[in-house]
Amino acid sequence: MTPSWEAGADLVVVGTGVAGLTAAITARELGLRVLVVTKAGAGDGNTPWAQGGVAVVLPGQHEPGDSVRRHVADTLVAGAGLCEEAAVAAILADGPAAVQRLLRGGARFDTEEDGRLARGREGGHSTFRVVHAGGDATGAEVERALLATLRDGRIPVLEQHIAVEALRTPAGEVAGLLVLDAHGVPGAVRAPAVLLATGGVGQLYQATSNPEVATGDGLALAVRAGAALADVEFVQFHPTVLFTGAGAHGRRPLVTEAVRGEGAVLVDHTGARVMAGVHPLADLAPRDVVAAAITRRMVATGADHVLLDATRLGGEAFRRRFPTVHAACRAAGVDPAVDPIPVAPAAHFACGGVVTTVDGRASVTGLYAAGEVARTGLHGANRLASNSLLEGLVVGARAARAVAADLAAGRLADPRTAEPAELPAAPVVERAALQRAMSRYAAIGRDASGLVEAESVLDAHSVHRPLRTHQEVEDAALAMVARALVAAALERTETRGCHVRTDFPRTEEAWRRSLPIRLDAAGRLAFFETVALGGAA
């Protein structure tokens, strides 16, 4: 099926979360013609669900002794040896200016009585440096402010349009995008630059903190366009997602780590502390450590959840500081003032993704990525809490500037040379079967036999078909990403960060490297040691 309409732009941005909106706004400020595409409504992505805040060291407003260098050090520790230090330093150094731009754009963050921004503390942070809004509604406020700026700038947004395939020139450069509307009608956007800001992969699993749109579309599109992925085996499971029953599937309410930052502690059903003696930071250890400790305790006790005791915070104080969490708890019949909160780990954040520089450039000319879909080298094997909104703000802006520079230098293709667009065909796996297999065999604890079984399930339920509907595009993306994740998890025969191999429990120095993966000449996923990874260039 050929496109029924065409449009043109200098840059097409896919996604309306923090990274995509920041990129679109910055690109328009630089004078570029921008078109934004999103498969749902403009505010329906993952950003509005972010609770904790933005980790940043603001001049004149930071804790005594804190610094960007200390923030870098905390990030490197959390990343378990796979962060790229130059990328971490570059992104975090840009954080203060990025947050100040957001504030000038109308974002309203919580303040102390003296007018300074209030700061919380989360797992892995050595001090209080997480600025927040609405108590625990930071993502919603960031999204509100950026959408308002986008609309004030009259930047066009194609809602209910899913990105299917990159348009490419005979030389393989990306030069536009093929999209489908909600009725399956295809259209083509010709543009010398495509920026993916499509978010994560939470829907690979039965239980996740992510909304229904987090199906890995951008990763699959990038792979089919010839780009490389890396670190896809590292999926961070948030330790404390509200447990609402063993049969609950899909998006589950998050209980932000900032609750533990204010003094709440994890206990099992006997009242014994879960994190006692596990890590020097105890309940504020990095997320991979806490999630693994909770999982071990659940296995040891036969329970399907543990408890987060926040009663010492005081009922009214808890409600004021964490209104979103409080409302979710009360909806589930839990009163945090007197009841410990039932929690369990659930899929949360993809630490890897499309290999890019810190300026968002991917390994294919004309293709850029920012936010959770991108692997910049910031997160390594495990993300430091609240670095994600910061990354979206920083890399979204840097990617827009990179597009403008590449256009001015004549480094991008003429979109008129893009080859005719046709809807692709790809392997599609029945979603429920995929999610069951990934949750059972490729979640927190993995071993070779289970990962091989996951591959078998994917093979058994795979059907090659044209991608003519939103669901088929999503299911094909989930199938592609699941295969890449399982392949990388099998290849990495060690435990590191949020990749836990129960048959290889040690961390091995020989595996202190990333595994770039892309399609080979035969169209199969394969590892390539020669792909340049991330960095500050």
Side-chain angles (χ1 to χ4, degrees):
M1 188 185 300
T2 57
S4 5
W5 57 266
E6 282 196 3
D10 296 322
L11 168 66
V12 55
V13 174
V14 188
T16 50
V18 57
L21 293 175
T22 300
I25 292 164
T26 305
R28 173 57 67 87
E29 291 171 348
L30 293 169
L32 302 188
R33 294 179 303 128
V34 182
L35 177 63
V36 179
V37 174
T38 184
K39 68 179 180 181
D44 290 339
N46 213 5
T47 292
W49 298 102
Q51 291 182 354
V54 183
V56 65
V57 181
L58 290 170
Q61 300 199 50
H62 57 76
E63 289 288 297
D66 199 12
S67 64
V68 172
R69 180 176 296 181
R70 188 169 168 184
H71 188 182
V72 169
D74 289 347
T75 300
L76 295 176
V77 169
L82 284 194
C83 297
E84 295 191 17
E85 188 167 355
V88 175
I91 292 170
L92 298 189
D94 276 4
V99 171
Q100 293 292 353
R101 285 195 302 272
L102 185 65
L103 293 170
R104 289 195 299 272
R108 299 185 291 268
F109 278 67
D110 299 334
T111 58
E112 303 286 5
E113 292 182 0
D114 61 5
R116 297 196 308 164
L117 292 182
R119 296 177 303 279
R121 184 180 177 188
E122 297 185 43
H125 289 275
S126 58
T127 189
F128 290 77
R129 67 164 70 94
V130 180
V131 298
H132 47 81
D136 57 0
T138 309
E141 174 58 16
V142 169
E143 183 80 3
R144 182 206 63 78
L146 290 173
L147 274 176
T149 302
L150 185 89
R151 288 163 177 155
D152 288 346
R154 298 183 179 179
I155 299 172
V157 180
L158 278 180
E159 296 182 292
Q160 310 299 327
H161 283 70
I162 192 168
V164 182
E165 194 83 337
L167 303 183
R168 301 178 71 188
T169 69
E173 303 144 311
V174 169
L177 194 66
L178 182 67
V179 302
L180 278 179
D181 72 9
H183 305 289
V185 177
V189 182
R190 293 185 179 271
V194 172
L195 190 149
L196 302 174
T198 52
V201 301
Q203 293 299 320
L204 284 174
Y205 297 92
Q206 291 175 305
T208 177
S209 65
N210 294 187
E212 289 70 19
V213 294
T215 52
D217 309 347
L219 279 74
L221 186 150
V223 167
R224 290 197 298 268
L229 309 180
D231 296 340
V232 289
E233 65 269 40
F234 299 106
V235 176
Q236 184 181 78
F237 278 64
H238 197 287
T240 54
V241 171
L242 184 64
F243 183 80
T244 55
H249 289 170
R251 197 194 74 80
R252 294 185 182 180
L254 193 66
V255 180
T256 174
E257 261 181 291
V259 175
R260 282 177 280 133
E262 297 292 336
V265 296
L266 289 159
V267 297
D268 63 21
H269 291 273
T270 72
R273 292 279 297 271
V274 172
M275 294 304 298
V278 174
H279 189 277
L281 291 176
D283 291 85
L284 286 174
R287 285 181 177 170
D288 61 319
V289 176
V290 180
I294 290 172
T295 301
R296 289 194 299 270
R297 186 63 61 91
M298 290 192 303
V299 171
T301 61
D304 50 15
H305 65 283
V306 295
L307 301 169
L308 181 64
D309 187 353
T311 55
R312 69 182 67 184
L313 276 61
E316 182 57 24
F318 186 98
R319 187 193 64 78
R320 287 197 308 269
R321 175 65 176 87
F322 304 109
T324 306
V325 175
H326 185 270
C329 288
R330 294 312 303 263
V334 176
D335 182 358
V338 296
D339 304 321
I341 303 167
V343 294
H348 184 54
F349 190 88
C351 298
V354 182
V355 175
T356 72
T357 67
V358 294
D359 297 311
R361 292 184 180 95
S363 54
V364 176
T365 298
L367 185 65
Y368 304 77
E372 190 175 354
V373 71
R375 185 271 185 202
T376 59
L378 173 63
H379 303 303
N382 179 56
R383 176 180 68 111
L384 181 66
S386 288
N387 270 355
S388 56
L389 289 177
L390 184 74
E391 182 184 35
L393 291 167
V394 170
V395 181
R398 291 182 73 125
R401 292 193 289 268
V403 170
D406 292 344
L407 277 169
R411 289 191 284 263
L412 303 182
D414 183 341
R416 293 172 297 181
T417 66
E419 296 180 314
E422 292 284 346
L423 287 176
V428 174
V429 175
E430 194 268 319
R431 190 176 301 194
L434 180 149
Q435 290 175 334
R436 284 194 302 269
M438 295 298 289
S439 298
R440 181 173 180 182
Y441 302 119
I444 292 179
R446 308 160 176 177
D447 60 29
S449 62
L451 291 166
V452 169
E453 181 63 24
E455 287 185 323
S456 298
V457 172
L458 296 175
D459 289 340
H461 291 269
S462 181
V463 177
H464 199 85
R465 65 173 58 155
L467 307 182
R468 296 193 178 103
T469 68
H470 280 216
Q471 181 168 335
E472 287 172 339
V473 174
E474 289 183 338
D475 288 349
L478 287 169
M480 173 79 80
V481 176
R483 288 187 181 279
L485 190 159
V486 170
L490 264 171
E491 186 78 3
R492 183 175 291 281
T493 51
E494 66 156 357
T495 288
R496 182 184 295 272
C498 51
H499 167 68
V500 177
R501 281 288 296 265
T502 57
D503 50 348
F504 291 96
R506 296 174 59 87
T507 299
E508 302 290 346
E509 184 62 25
W511 277 110
R512 192 171 178 171
R513 55 188 174 86
S514 292
L515 292 170
I517 188 170
R518 64 184 180 193
L519 294 180
D520 63 16
R524 297 169 302 198
L525 288 167
F527 297 106
F528 288 81
E529 296 293 341
T530 58
V531 177
L533 292 172

